[in-house]
Amino acid sequence: MRRPRVLWIPYAQRGSLYPVVPAVRALGALGAETMLLGLPRLADLAADLGTGFMPYEAESGISYDWSRPDGRDRHGLGPDNGADWFHDRVAAEYAQAERAVRDFRPDVVLTDSFVIGAGLAAEGLGVPWASYVHYLFDEGAETDDMHRVWWERPGTPALDAYCAWWDGVRAAVGLGPEPRDRAEAPWFRMSPRLTFLLGHPGLRRGDRALPGFVTRTSLPPWDEAPRDADGGTGSLAVPADRRRVLVANSSAWQDDIALVSAALEGLADTDVEIVATVSADHRLGMPLPANATVLGYHPHTRLVPAVDAVITTSGYGIVSKALWFGKPLVTVSHARDQHYVAQAVRRQGCGIALDWPPRPEALARAVREVLADTALHERLRRLSGPLAGHPSAKDVAADLLSLAGGDGR
């Protein structure tokens, strides 16, 4: 009997990739054969996970890379800076997914909702598909605000503008208008049969009831180990009587290095040990205080359990990890969905939210407060680890295989 086949099509940025990996690994444990379709640089990840690998063809033109300011795609430029470009990328994703379906013959496709062309290809080819959302989705919106820069039209009602834009995206790959009701417009990019919301389930924005095909999950955090020679953590040993704080800016490039600089300045020469990770392409431009260690990319699942608090730009991934391990947060949101994440942290009572730009003295004061707040630590204890009532990685994998016609339970 042939093993069930799952074609996995992720968006190739750490914050997008890593949250779903526990479910991908669970697929293998349940006997599925998984194939990763993506950029050539993901070959090592596929090998580490034990999945097959199919690279995008060189002439596909798909090359998004959010680790450098000059390597990002043009997502934020909007239609006035090249409306056809977005359609071209979606069409390229569609073509690569179509090729992979033809060659691999999957029973089900699993795709990041950012890879719009992959979901449309599965729909067009009649292959069952599931999707996942790796950022804090606004459940209260009537449209998909993450792509607002592409569809917003002054003087046109938001829902009308969004639906017209979405039908244009579908037309670019040869599909007809969206068949779903406009009430589901925020979910048009997601699978209408099975969609998973990743990240910590306590982080929410909006209060609408989720559609029946959407599930909020509780997956353990996962990070890829660094492959460079300085990936060890031996240099982080500190005396047992000292507190340790992790400072983390975004793993996707944005102009946020000021957070790290301000934290180093505010906590310099204190009784707190500072560990900072600078994952994207930044230059710190300041001398390091004696109580600080600065790393490049480093797995936060190795660092967060060993710290007493986390200072962050409110990235959904690092905040989810901090909550999983029960660590208090100081958030200074900067862009994308980070303002939403900071608001959710405040609502949960799991930390202190500060405004951008970060100020050294405010950061130092907030760190002292969260370290001393015993009630906050009790709330974090209740939110740590897997949360009852939310699917685990094995549950997600089993649901996916059920969609494929297999039985993973």
Side-chain angles (χ1 to χ4, degrees):
M1 181 177 178
R2 185 171 75 93
R3 297 165 59 193
R5 292 182 175 179
V6 180
L7 176 62
W8 174 34
I9 310 178
Y11 189 75
Q13 194 271 327
R14 289 186 181 117
S16 310
L17 271 167
Y18 295 169
V20 77
V21 164
V24 172
R25 297 175 73 182
L27 284 169
L30 292 178
E33 179 182 357
T34 305
M35 178 70 69
L36 192 167
L37 170 67
L39 295 176
R41 68 172 182 270
L42 299 183
D44 288 339
L45 175 64
D48 290 345
L49 297 179
T51 74
F53 181 66
M54 186 181 298
Y56 288 137
E57 294 174 324
E59 63 271 21
S60 71
I62 303 173
S63 61
Y64 32 68
D65 176 8
W66 282 69
S67 64
R68 309 183 319 276
D70 60 345
R72 295 177 295 169
D73 65 25
R74 288 175 282 177
H75 171 81
L77 297 183
D80 292 338
N81 292 279
D84 292 341
W85 173 84
F86 196 85
H87 289 173
D88 289 345
R89 192 186 85 176
V90 171
E93 293 167 348
Y94 189 107
Q96 294 304 301
E98 185 177 39
R99 172 180 63 93
V101 167
R102 181 185 67 242
D103 294 347
F104 182 56
R105 294 182 296 120
D107 299 292
V108 65
V109 172
L110 173 65
T111 182
D112 189 309
S113 60
F114 267 16
V115 190
I116 294 175
L120 293 178
E123 176 190 334
L125 297 170
V127 180
W129 66 290
S131 60
Y132 56 91
V133 180
H134 63 263
Y135 59 93
L136 185 53
F137 189 80
D138 186 353
E139 300 161 29
E142 68 170 358
T143 61
D144 179 6
D145 283 353
M146 184 60 75
H147 287 83
R148 178 174 291 274
V149 67
W150 285 97
W151 57 259
E152 193 170 37
R153 294 291 183 273
T156 302
L159 187 57
D160 292 342
Y162 178 75
C163 291
W165 169 80
W166 178 247
D167 283 344
V169 172
R170 292 176 59 88
V173 296
L175 296 179
E178 174 60 53
R180 283 180 273 182
D181 189 273
R182 283 160 56 108
E184 290 189 8
W187 306 96
F188 281 173
R189 284 191 296 114
M190 290 65 153
S191 167
R193 295 186 63 183
L194 193 58
T195 290
F196 302 105
L197 299 184
L198 307 180
H200 195 282
L203 299 174
R204 296 190 59 183
R205 177 173 173 81
D207 55 4
R208 292 188 181 184
L210 294 177
F213 56 86
V214 179
T215 302
R216 185 176 285 105
T217 63
S218 182
L219 274 57
W222 185 92
D223 289 295
E224 184 179 15
R227 295 178 180 275
D228 51 289
D230 63 349
T233 59
S235 62
L236 302 184
V238 295
D241 60 347
R242 300 190 72 178
R243 297 294 191 97
R244 179 184 287 162
V245 174
L246 172 65
V247 184
N249 67 338
S250 179
S251 62
W253 197 95
Q254 60 180 5
D255 191 12
D256 63 3
I257 193 63
L259 176 73
V260 179
S261 301
L264 293 178
E265 180 180 343
L267 297 172
D269 302 321
T270 67
D271 60 354
V272 172
E273 188 76 10
I274 313 161
V275 180
T277 57
V278 182
S279 298
D281 185 13
H282 289 285
R283 297 294 177 266
L284 193 56
M286 65 175 290
L288 293 184
N291 60 328
T293 300
V294 176
L295 305 170
Y297 165 69
H298 199 92
H300 286 145
T301 51
R302 298 185 183 184
L303 297 177
V304 175
V307 304
D308 299 287
V310 176
I311 302 173
T312 173
T313 47
S314 315
Y316 190 48
I318 182 62
V319 168
S320 292
K321 292 169 189 171
L323 295 183
W324 178 276
F325 292 113
K327 306 300 178 177
L329 287 144
V330 176
T331 63
V332 192
S333 53
H334 185 271
R336 299 192 294 272
D337 64 336
Q338 294 172 354
H339 304 298
Y340 298 167
V341 175
Q343 292 167 6
V345 169
R346 186 187 298 112
R347 285 194 300 272
Q348 287 286 354
C350 294
I352 294 175
L354 302 176
D355 294 331
W356 193 272
R359 294 181 293 113
E361 64 278 8
L363 285 171
R365 183 168 56 252
V367 167
R368 291 193 297 269
E369 290 180 13
V370 299
L371 290 177
D373 190 336
T374 55
L376 181 153
H377 287 266
E378 176 58 25
R379 287 192 294 274
L380 285 163
R381 185 192 64 79
R382 294 195 297 267
L383 287 171
S384 64
L387 294 189
H390 298 283
S392 66
K394 183 178 179 181
D395 295 331
V396 169
D399 287 345
L400 187 65
L401 293 183
S402 295
L403 184 66
D407 186 3
R409 297 188 182 278

